[in-house]
């Protein structure tokens, strides 16, 4: 069975309300802030080091051209997670 989801989407969790939405070029600074706050050890599990502005910029360009689809988890206006 396949389920189609639409975004943005609000989800209630034990940690409060989260918004899941598609990442866009305008999110670059917020994602960079999120990535820079991650412990170095956590960055080892990512396929690209998004804490580097040049790497994040290349990722955003791939999103803009439609090569990558990425979702953000946002709580109280702050990025708290991302995935592709």
């Amino acid at each position: 069975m396949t389920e189609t989801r639409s975004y943005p989407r609000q989800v209630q969790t034990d940690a409060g309300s989260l918004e899941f939405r598609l990442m866009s070029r305008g999110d670059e600074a917020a994602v960079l802030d999120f990535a820079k706050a991650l412990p170095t050890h956590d960055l080892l599990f990512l396929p690209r080091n998004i804490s580097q502005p040049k790497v994040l910029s290349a990722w955003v360009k791939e999103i803009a051209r439609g090569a990558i689809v990425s979702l953000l988890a946002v709580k109280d206006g702050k990025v708290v997670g991302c995935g592709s």
Side-chain angles (χ1 to χ4, degrees):
M1 175 195 280
T2 333
E3 182 182 340
T4 302
R5 297 202 176 187
S6 59
Y7 299 97
R9 173 186 228 63
Q10 292 289 331
V11 177
Q12 291 298 323
T13 71
D14 290 342
S17 180
L18 291 176
E19 177 188 34
F20 291 94
R21 63 179 171 80
L22 295 172
M23 184 174 160
S24 68
R25 184 177 300 274
D27 295 313
E28 190 168 346
V31 173
L32 185 59
D33 288 343
F34 163 72
K36 286 186 172 187
L38 290 173
T40 304
H41 178 74
D42 289 359
L43 292 170
L44 296 173
F45 297 95
L46 299 176
R48 58 185 69 78
N49 186 350
I50 60 171
S51 69
Q52 298 297 315
K54 184 176 179 178
V55 173
L56 183 57
S57 181
W59 180 20
V60 169
K61 287 178 186 172
E62 291 298 300
I63 291 169
R65 76 176 188 96
I68 299 174
V69 175
S70 295
L71 287 177
L72 297 180
V74 180
K75 182 176 182 196
D76 300 326
K78 184 176 178 183
V79 174
V80 295
C82 62
S84 292

